[in-house]
């Protein structure tokens, strides 16, 4: 059996060698194509060009594979550390962005809340202000009316007092005349028929006069007719009169004197009542004026305070509105900065990933066939140098 296999192998040796050479050639060609593709890829970036420059330098100095592997591994570690630090910086920056944007948003919410509160305060203050203004206007009008009524009361009191003084003066004048008449009658009246006639008429007049006085309808002009009666009575009487006639006349005169005294007392009592009423009403007016004055002062102060509150909150709204505009601009600027940093980070992250992939690919090629890699790299470098020289 072994001899049979030996014969078969000898007969097909040539074919086996040809197949093996083809396989080896295809593998070598594949490695070469892979290396060339790697070199082209590396030249597409600044990092790749730097990497290839370093590799070309080391390969031209016949650096061993282990050295190159160690060199690339260190470069890979450095890149990875840089990426880790960049990632930490990015995460910290974005966290700060989130925090600052959140802080600005809270401040915006606070300013918006302040504006809402100020608008509510202004609305409430305006309602109270409108009410106070109406109250102030009414109080000022009441104060003016009260002062006018007080002046009218004083004027009426002065007129009443003047009228009372005039009545009392007339009554006193009539009383004085009647007392004088009494004295004259005692000395001069007699009992002639003319005297009796006049005395009877005088008696009727006194009765009417007494009735008017009792009814408080007797006016001052009645005193003139009374004095005229007395004068006529005296003129008509003889020098000597009977005691009875004299006494009757005296009684008539005394009766009206008594009525006038009662009328005078009634007028006095009425005047005192008017004075009490006047003082009472005047006191009410004075107290009302004081109270209205205090109320007006209070309303005026409250209106001033409300205006201050309204102006303060208007300024507060203006300030908070301005702060909102500033904070929004800051927030927009910060968002743009954060977005710019994020886009920059993503771009750099892709570069770092590509660079790490490039180093990883170089390590794989070197580990598989360092010499083939050296040959292709150096030939490519020489070709590039020649091309530049020929240009």
């Amino acid at each position: 059996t072994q001899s049979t296999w030996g014969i078969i192998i000898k007969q097909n040796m040539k074919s086996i060698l040809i197949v093996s050479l083809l396989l080896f050639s295809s593998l070598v060609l594949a490695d070469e194509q892979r290396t060339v593709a790697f070199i082209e890829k590396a030249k597409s970036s600044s990092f790749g060009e730097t990497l290839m420059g370093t590799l070309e330098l080391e390969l031209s100095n016949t650096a061993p594979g282990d050295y190159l592997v160690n060199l690339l591994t260190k470069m890979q570690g450095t890149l990875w550390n840089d990426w880790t630090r960049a990632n930490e910086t990015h995460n910290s920056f974005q966290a700060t962005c989130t925090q600052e944007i959140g802080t600005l948003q809270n401040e915006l919410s606070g300013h918006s809340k302040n504006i809402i509160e100020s608008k509510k305060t202004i609305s409430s203050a305006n309602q109270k202000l409108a009410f106070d203004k109406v109250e102030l206007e009414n109080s000022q009008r009441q104060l003016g009316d009260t002062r006018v009524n007080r002046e009218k009361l004083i004027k009426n009191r002065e007129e009443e007092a003047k009228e009372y003084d005039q009545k009392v003066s007339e009554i006193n004048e009539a009383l004085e005349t009647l007392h004088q008449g009494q004295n004259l009658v005692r000395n001069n009246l007699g009992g002639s028929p003319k005297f009796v006639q006049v005395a009877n008429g005088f008696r009727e007049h006194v009765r009417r006069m007494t009735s008017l006085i009792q009814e408080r309808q007797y006016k001052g002009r009645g005193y003139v007719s009374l004095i005229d009666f007395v004068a006529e009575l005296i003129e008509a009487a003889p020098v000597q009169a009977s005691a009875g006639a004299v006494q009757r006349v005296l009684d008539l005169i005394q009766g009206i004197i008594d009525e006038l005294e009662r009328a005078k007392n009634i007028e006095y009592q009425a005047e005192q009542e008017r004075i009490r009423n006047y003082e009472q009403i005047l006191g009410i007016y004075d107290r009302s004026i004081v109270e209205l004055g205090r109320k007006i002062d209070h309303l005026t102060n409250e209106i001033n305070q409300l205006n201050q509150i309204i102006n303060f909150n208007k300024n507060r709204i203006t300030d908070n509105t301005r702060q909102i505009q500033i904070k929004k601009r800051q927030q927009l600027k910060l968002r743009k900065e954060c977005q710019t940093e994020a886009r920059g980070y993503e771009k750099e992250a892709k570069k770092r990933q590509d660079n790490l992939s490039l180093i990883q690919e170089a390590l794989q090629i070197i580990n598989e066939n360092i010499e083939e890699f050296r040959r292709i790299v150096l030939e490519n470098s020489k070709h590039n140098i020649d091309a530049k020289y020929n240009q």
Side-chain angles (χ1 to χ4, degrees):
T1 302
Q2 290 180 353
S3 61
T4 303
W5 276 108
I7 294 169
I8 294 172
I9 291 172
K10 287 180 180 180
Q11 290 176 350
N12 295 287
M13 180 61 71
K14 185 177 181 179
S15 299
I16 292 172
L17 288 173
I18 292 171
V19 172
S20 297
L21 288 172
L22 289 173
L23 288 172
F24 178 76
S25 298
S26 63
L27 289 173
V28 170
L29 181 61
D31 289 341
E32 184 175 354
Q33 291 176 346
R34 180 183 178 188
T35 302
V36 172
F38 166 78
I39 293 171
E40 293 300 323
K41 184 193 297 184
K43 289 180 179 180
S44 64
S45 66
S46 59
F47 174 81
E49 289 182 349
T50 302
L51 176 63
M52 288 308 301
T54 301
L55 290 175
E56 287 172 3
L57 178 62
E58 296 297 337
L59 290 169
S60 64
N61 292 330
T62 65
D66 292 342
Y67 175 81
L68 291 176
V69 170
N70 185 53
L71 177 64
L72 292 174
T73 302
K74 287 181 179 180
M75 292 177 64
Q76 189 179 44
T78 300
L79 281 176
W80 181 257
N81 291 334
D82 290 343
W83 191 4
T84 302
R85 286 192 295 270
N87 188 54
E88 291 174 354
T89 302
H90 165 72
N91 291 336
S92 176
F93 186 85
Q94 290 299 319
T96 301
C97 285
T98 302
Q99 182 179 359
E100 291 183 359
I101 289 173
T103 300
L104 288 172
Q105 189 61 44
N106 290 336
E107 291 176 356
L108 285 170
S109 298
H111 291 309
S112 298
K113 183 179 179 182
N114 291 340
I115 290 174
I116 293 172
E117 289 176 352
S118 290
K119 286 182 177 179
K120 288 182 179 179
T121 301
I122 290 174
S123 177
S124 177
N126 278 328
Q127 291 178 358
K128 178 62 176 173
L129 184 63
F131 175 81
D132 282 356
K133 284 183 177 179
V134 172
E135 282 292 300
L136 179 61
E137 184 179 349
N138 291 337
S139 297
Q140 289 173 335
R141 184 171 57 254
Q142 290 176 5
L143 179 61
D145 293 344
T146 302
R147 284 174 173 168
V148 170
N149 291 335
R150 184 179 184 277
E151 292 301 319
K152 288 181 179 179
L153 177 67
I154 293 174
K155 186 176 181 180
N156 290 338
R157 175 84 282 274
E158 290 174 350
E159 292 176 355
E160 288 176 350
K162 184 178 180 181
E163 183 179 353
Y164 170 74
D165 291 340
Q166 184 178 357
K167 283 184 180 180
V168 171
S169 177
E170 290 175 351
I171 290 174
N172 287 335
E173 183 180 357
L175 287 172
E176 183 180 357
T177 302
L178 289 171
H179 285 304
Q180 291 176 358
Q182 279 181 324
N183 293 330
L184 291 173
V185 168
R186 287 190 185 99
N187 296 325
N188 299 314
L189 289 183
S192 67
K194 181 70 180 289
F195 169 77
V196 174
Q197 180 181 359
V198 173
N200 288 335
F202 180 65
R203 185 183 298 110
E204 291 298 321
H205 181 75
V206 168
R207 286 173 182 171
R208 290 194 302 272
M209 192 174 184
T210 301
S211 176
L212 289 172
I213 291 172
Q214 290 174 347
E215 294 175 2
R216 302 193 68 188
Q217 296 178 359
Y218 185 73
K219 303 299 180 182
R221 293 305 302 170
Y223 301 141
V224 176
S225 62
L226 174 63
I227 294 171
D228 291 342
F229 262 113
V230 173
E232 185 180 355
L233 186 63
I234 293 170
E235 183 181 355
V239 176
Q240 293 182 352
S242 65
V246 171
Q247 189 59 48
R248 282 194 296 272
V249 172
L250 291 175
D251 290 343
L252 287 171
I253 294 174
Q254 186 61 46
I256 197 167
I257 287 173
D258 293 341
E259 289 299 328
L260 285 173
E261 290 289 353
R262 282 193 290 271
K264 181 179 177 181
N265 184 61
I266 290 171
E267 289 295 337
Y268 174 78
Q269 295 297 330
E271 177 67 4
Q272 294 302 309
E273 181 66 21
R274 286 192 293 270
I275 291 173
R276 286 192 293 271
N277 291 338
Y278 163 76
E279 291 177 346
Q280 182 179 4
I281 296 172
L282 184 65
I284 292 172
Y285 283 153
D286 289 340
R287 288 191 296 274
S288 179
I289 288 172
V290 172
E291 291 174 358
L292 286 170
R294 290 174 179 171
K295 184 177 181 180
I296 288 171
D297 290 340
H298 171 74
L299 288 170
T300 301
N301 291 332
E302 192 169 77
I303 287 172
N304 291 334
Q305 291 176 359
L306 288 170
N307 283 325
Q308 290 176 1
I309 290 172
I310 290 171
N311 290 332
F312 170 80
N313 281 277
K314 283 182 178 179
N315 292 333
R316 189 184 184 209
I317 289 173
T318 300
D319 292 340
N320 280 273
T321 301
R322 184 169 56 252
Q323 287 299 319
I324 286 175
Q325 293 172 350
I326 293 172
K327 294 296 190 299
K328 282 184 175 180
R329 287 195 295 268
Q330 291 176 348
Q331 194 179 53
L332 179 61
K333 181 181 178 182
L334 183 58
R335 289 183 188 278
K336 289 181 178 179
E337 290 176 354
C338 295
Q339 290 170 358
T340 299
E341 191 277 338
R343 286 192 295 269
Y345 169 77
E346 290 175 359
K347 185 177 179 181
E348 289 299 320
K350 186 177 183 306
K351 284 183 180 180
R352 288 189 176 91
Q353 181 62 45
D354 291 342
N355 295 340
L356 287 171
S357 298
L358 199 63
I359 292 175
Q360 185 64 34
E361 189 174 355
L363 284 171
Q364 290 177 356
I365 295 172
I366 290 171
N367 285 327
E368 291 175 1
N369 195 337
I370 177 62
E371 295 304 326
E372 184 67 16
F373 180 73
R374 188 194 309 274
R375 181 185 67 78
I376 296 172
V377 169
L378 293 178
E379 285 181 358
N380 184 269
S381 176
K382 183 177 182 302
H383 174 73
N384 290 336
I385 292 172
D386 292 341
K388 289 181 181 179
Y389 179 79
N390 291 329
Q391 290 178 353

